[in-house]
C-alpha cells in the first residue's frame, strides 16, 4: 500500500494507520511519508552562520519538525513491527542569486520579514558562491517510511 503525500490531508492519521495495519497482507508493505527533517536546514544554518546572521528560527523549525517526526514514527511503531526510513535525494541547481533568494524565502516563509531585511547581505553571499562555484547545488531529501506487519 502506498500513501505518499496523503497523511497531511487526513483528519485522523492514527485511525487511518489502524485500518492500514488491519488490512495489510502479512507479507505486505505500507509506504508513507509525513514530517521531514531535511539536510537543507543544515545547509542554510551553516550559510547563515558564515554570513553572521541569526539562525535561531532554523533551529526552532528543525526541533519542531524532529519532534513531529519522532511522534509520527512512534505512532507507526504502534501498528507495525518493522519501520524503515528511506531517503531520496533531490538536487536543485541555482545560477542566479535572485532565484535562490526567492527559494529561501519560500522555504522559510514564516521568517520572510527577517530575510527581506537581510536581503542585500544574503544575495551578496549567494552571488559570491555562484561566482566561485558556477552554481549552487542544494540537496533536499524526501523521507519515506516502509512499514511491515
Amino acid at each position: 500500500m502506498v500513501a505518499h503525500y496523503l497523511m497531511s490531508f487526513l483528519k485522523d492519521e492514527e485511525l487511518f494507520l489502524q485500518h492500514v495495519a488491519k488490512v495489510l497482507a502479512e507479507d505486505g508493505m505500507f509506504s508513507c511519508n509525513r514530517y521531514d527533517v531535511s539536510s537543507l536546514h543544515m545547509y542554510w544554518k551553516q550559510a547563515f552562520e558564515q554570513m553572521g546572521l541569526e539562525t535561531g528560527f532554523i533551529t526552532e523549525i528543525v526541533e519542531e519538525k524532529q519532534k513531529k517526526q519522532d511522534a509520527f514514527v512512534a505512532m507507526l511503531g504502534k501498528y507495525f513491527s518493522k519501520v524503515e526510513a528511506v531517503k531520496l535525494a533531490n538536487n536543485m541547481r541555482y545560477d542566479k542569486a535572485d532565484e535562490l533568494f526567492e527559494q529561501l524565502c519560500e522555504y522559510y516563509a514564516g521568517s520572510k520579514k527577517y530575510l527581506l531585511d537581510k536581503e542585500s547581505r544574503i544575495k551578496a553571499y549567494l552571488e559570491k558562491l555562484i561566482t566561485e562555484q558556477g552554481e549552487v547545488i542544494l540537496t533536499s531529501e524526501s523521507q519515506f517510511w516502509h512499514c511491515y506487519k
Side-chain angles (χ1 to χ4, degrees), residues 37-55:
V37 182
S38 174
S39 64
L40 203 49
H41 294 296
M42 298 307 110
Y43 173 86
W44 285 117
K45 185 174 182 178
Q46 183 180 24
F48 275 49
E49 288 169 350
Q50 290 174 359
M51 290 182 270
L53 298 176
E54 173 62 37
T55 62

Side-chain angles (χ1 to χ4, degrees), residues 1 4 9 11 14 18 22 30 36 55 69 75 77 83 86 88 102 108 120 127 134-135 138 141:
M1 296 179 84
H4 296 166
F9 297 103
K11 289 184 181 177
E14 188 152 9
Q18 282 176 324
K22 182 179 173 183
F30 170 61
D36 195 17
T55 62
Q69 179 176 292
M75 187 174 17
V83 177
V86 177
L88 301 175
E102 261 183 57
Y108 294 114
S120 61
E127 286 171 4
E135 65 185 355
L138 299 182
E141 299 89 19

Side-chain angles (χ1 to χ4, degrees), residues 77-122:
K78 287 171 57 177
Y79 301 102
F80 303 97
S81 64
K82 183 178 175 185
V83 177
E84 297 176 335
V86 177
K87 286 191 175 198
L88 301 175
N90 177 30
N91 291 327
M92 298 165 284
R93 299 175 185 276
Y94 296 91
D95 59 3
K96 293 178 182 65
D98 288 339
E99 290 176 0
L100 186 49
F101 182 76
E102 261 183 57
Q103 182 65 32
L104 175 66
C105 288
E106 286 179 26
Y107 199 63
Y108 294 114
S111 298
K112 190 170 184 176
K113 183 183 180 326
Y114 175 76
L115 298 172
L116 290 172
D117 289 345
K118 305 298 182 188
E119 181 175 4
S120 61
R121 184 191 252 174
I122 295 169

Side-chain angles (χ1 to χ4, degrees), residues 3-37:
H4 296 166
Y5 304 102
L6 172 72
M7 302 301 291
S8 62
F9 297 103
L10 299 175
K11 289 184 181 177
D12 190 338
E13 293 176 357
E14 188 152 9
L15 181 62
F16 177 76
L17 292 174
Q18 282 176 324
H19 184 67
V20 168
K22 182 179 173 183
V23 300
L24 188 66
E26 284 302 318
D27 61 345
M29 179 195 58
F30 170 61
S31 181
C32 65
N33 64 326
R34 185 64 174 109
Y35 300 100
D36 195 17
V37 182

Side-chain angles (χ1 to χ4, degrees), residues 47-65:
F48 275 49
E49 288 169 350
Q50 290 174 359
M51 290 182 270
L53 298 176
E54 173 62 37
T55 62
F57 70 96
I58 298 172
T59 301
E60 287 176 21
I61 289 170
V62 170
E63 288 173 356
E64 179 184 330
K65 284 185 173 225

